Amino acid sequence: MNQCYEKVCDLAHLIAFAEEIKSKLGNSGVLLLRGNLASGKTAFVKAFAKTLGLEEAISSPTFSILHEYDEKLFHYDIYQCGSNGFLQSGLIEKLDVEGYHLIEWGDAEFEKLLHHFGVEYSTIDIETMDLKRNYKVHINAYA
């Protein structure tokens, strides 16, 4: 199933958009979130967590690389460590665990790593537009 589309969304409608993405991913999935600093990657993860019924405070795992929430949501931030650091940390194996793996800063090099290990993934590229965001979505386009 290869779906590509764009959606413009503001913060008030972000939970509904996250619910839409969750339904497209199914019961599990790896999702790369890409965008400039302060583009809304963590805001999307917070909205996604709400769709899972998680009440915990969600924060970016900038220095710890991974935050896990209720064995349902795995939130990665690979800005500091990059693909090599992610690989050296052994976290590539974590992607096999059932649940939603949302990875901030998953660039082309990281995509090559996922291809190498046969990990199927989806992407969302986020562009800022004043108080809204343009989301370019590719669901299960890569394997």
Side-chain angles (χ1 to χ4, degrees):
M1 163 174 91
N2 183 348
Q3 296 181 14
C4 299
Y5 64 96
E6 288 188 42
K7 183 162 196 150
V8 174
C9 184
D10 61 13
L11 205 52
H13 297 92
L14 194 53
I15 293 174
F17 175 59
E19 184 68 53
E20 176 185 318
I21 297 299
K22 186 180 89 168
S23 71
K24 291 180 186 305
L25 292 175
N27 295 326
S28 190
V30 175
L31 180 62
L32 306 184
L33 301 171
R34 303 185 292 215
N36 293 331
L37 202 59
S39 62
K41 295 178 293 295
T42 302
F44 178 84
V45 175
K46 288 177 181 181
F48 197 92
K50 288 190 188 306
T51 72
L52 297 173
L54 297 173
E55 298 298 325
E56 293 178 64
I58 305 294
S59 62
S60 184
T62 303
F63 298 104
S64 61
I65 305 174
L66 169 64
H67 288 167
E68 293 184 40
Y69 301 96
D70 204 23
E71 298 179 4
K72 295 181 192 175
L73 178 62
F74 304 87
H75 180 199
Y76 306 79
D77 183 328
I78 62 167
Y79 181 78
Q80 297 289 334
C81 70
S83 297
N84 286 338
F86 185 85
L87 188 58
Q88 290 172 357
S89 71
L91 288 173
I92 192 78
E93 295 173 12
K94 191 71 151 176
L95 299 179
D96 290 334
V97 173
E98 183 81 13
Y100 299 98
H101 299 266
L102 278 56
I103 304 171
E104 294 188 33
W105 301 102
D107 60 9
E109 184 180 329
F110 192 75
E111 288 187 62
K112 288 179 190 174
L113 179 71
L114 295 178
H115 281 287
H116 177 76
F117 284 94
V119 176
E120 187 175 285
Y121 62 96
S122 302
T123 62
I124 298 180
D125 290 293
I126 306 170
E127 296 176 348
T128 56
M129 305 170 53
D130 293 320
L131 297 177
K132 296 181 180 182
R133 301 293 185 260
N134 183 38
Y135 298 91
K136 294 181 181 179
V137 180
H138 300 273
I139 300 292
N140 295 332
Y142 311 97

